[in-house]
Structure formats: C-alpha cells, structure tokens
Amino acid sequence: MMPDETQSPVSFKVNVARLPQKGMSTVVDADAAQRAALAEAHGLTSVERYKADLLVTKWKRNGIKVRGRVQAAITQACVVTLDPVESVIDEDVEGVFLPEDSKLARQGFNAAGEILLDAEGPDAPETFTGDTIDVGALAEEFFGLAIDPYPRKTGVAVASTDDDDVEPVESEFQKKLRLISKKL
C-alpha cells in the first residue's frame, strides 16, 4: 500500500519478511466499530457481518501472494423505494505483491515507460515498500467491488417513461429516408 492512502477500516498488516514456508493464515473478523466504518466508507446502511480468511505465501523469488475469501452480510437502500435490501457477499480474494525494486515489477512497462496490460489476463502485481503488506485493505477492495451498485428490492421495477401507445416522431431526414427506401 502507498503511504499516502487512507487506512482501511479493516486494516491488517502482515510482516512478510519472515513468512513460514507453508505461508501464514490470517483471519480478519470485523468488530462493530469496523463494520460501521465499512458501511460509511461504502455508502451502505449497515454491515452485519464481515470476515476475510486469507493465506499469505511467498511467490517467485521476492514476491508475496495473498489468496482467500471475503464473506459479508450487508444492508443497502433500494434505488427505487429506499427500503432496506439485504445482500450476502462471498468473493474470492487474490493478489500478488512485489517489492518496489523488483525486476518483475518493472516487466509490465515498455521502453517508453507505458504500462502494458492484458484485459483478459491476471491483474498486474502491486508493489510494496518495507516488510509489511496490508492484507485487510486488499480484502476490502474485493468486498467493495462485490457490492451491487444498484440494489433493488425483490419485485420492484423502475417505472418506464416510454408509452407503447405513443408513435415515435420522425424527423424530416427519417421521413425522406423512408420514402427513398420505398422507391427502391
């Protein structure tokens, strides 16, 4: 994580300098204050449950890989009625981190300094400085991406402004085009 970024409500820093050979299992189980902060940060009515089970392992020579799952129960306001809508989040978490000075971290750049990305490929590794990685913030990113941006209460639909009985108005160009196509 960059030092100028705001800290995640579920921040959990792991020292990666001395990782065990099998990796380190980490559980982030948010308390009431952290859940309230998550709800505020993500524009939710409430977060009833938040838990991230993560495994931090070594990757290649100096890299770190984080894998796991984030599970949560949230309540949002319906975009149509503003009634509460309860949702369950169950997302896989995966991220690769490389030290800032790693040669692998620079491989995604071409000679002009532009980043080369494959839209269908895996995410580019993130870089880190020092001996710690905030795995809680990584899990929160996946949590945030899993939140439905337009939650709707079951059975509620947005009222249509289009009337099926109303004929669309043709422009002069459309009228001329229709007449020409009839002649052909």
Side-chain angles (χ1 to χ4, degrees):
M1 301 293 322
M2 297 299 223
D4 60 346
E5 290 183 26
T6 58
Q7 186 167 331
S8 166
V10 287
S11 179
F12 191 91
K13 298 190 181 194
V14 173
N15 186 332
V16 295
R18 297 184 181 138
L19 277 178
Q21 191 66 23
K22 293 181 180 180
M24 185 171 93
S25 182
T26 302
V27 177
V28 180
D29 198 356
D31 62 23
Q34 290 172 315
R35 292 192 311 268
L38 278 170
E40 184 178 339
H42 293 279
L44 304 171
T45 305
S46 65
V47 176
E48 291 80 29
R49 182 176 48 85
Y50 178 96
K51 185 176 182 181
D53 289 311
L54 307 168
L55 179 64
V56 183
T57 58
K58 293 183 180 193
W59 183 77
K60 298 211 178 210
R61 188 176 206 172
N62 296 323
I64 303 297
K65 186 168 200 160
V66 181
R67 281 188 170 186
R69 182 165 223 81
V70 62
Q71 297 173 316
I74 63 172
T75 302
Q76 300 174 264
C78 173
V79 294
V80 179
T81 65
L82 298 179
D83 290 337
V85 177
E86 294 177 355
S87 303
V88 173
I89 292 175
D90 189 3
E91 282 293 309
D92 288 329
V93 174
E94 187 168 337
V96 174
F97 295 84
L98 294 171
E100 212 170 37
D101 58 350
S102 170
K103 290 180 184 178
L104 287 173
R106 294 188 297 267
Q107 284 182 352
F109 294 89
N110 67 11
E114 296 173 331
I115 297 176
L116 305 174
L117 297 175
D118 178 8
E120 300 299 319
D123 290 342
E126 292 187 39
T127 57
F128 70 94
T129 308
D131 294 338
T132 60
I133 293 175
D134 191 346
V135 296
L138 176 68
E140 184 191 355
E141 286 178 30
F142 284 85
F143 165 79
L145 291 172
I147 296 171
D148 183 357
Y150 305 106
R152 261 192 254 164
K153 195 172 182 178
T154 305
V156 174
V158 178
S160 175
T161 57
D162 295 338
D163 289 332
D164 293 335
D165 300 335
V166 178
E167 292 282 326
V169 179
E170 278 186 322
S171 69
E172 289 301 315
F173 176 76
Q174 289 171 325
K175 288 178 185 175
K176 288 179 185 177
L177 187 60
R178 186 173 40 85
L179 291 172
I180 293 170
S181 64
K182 283 184 179 180
K183 290 179 182 178
L184 296 175

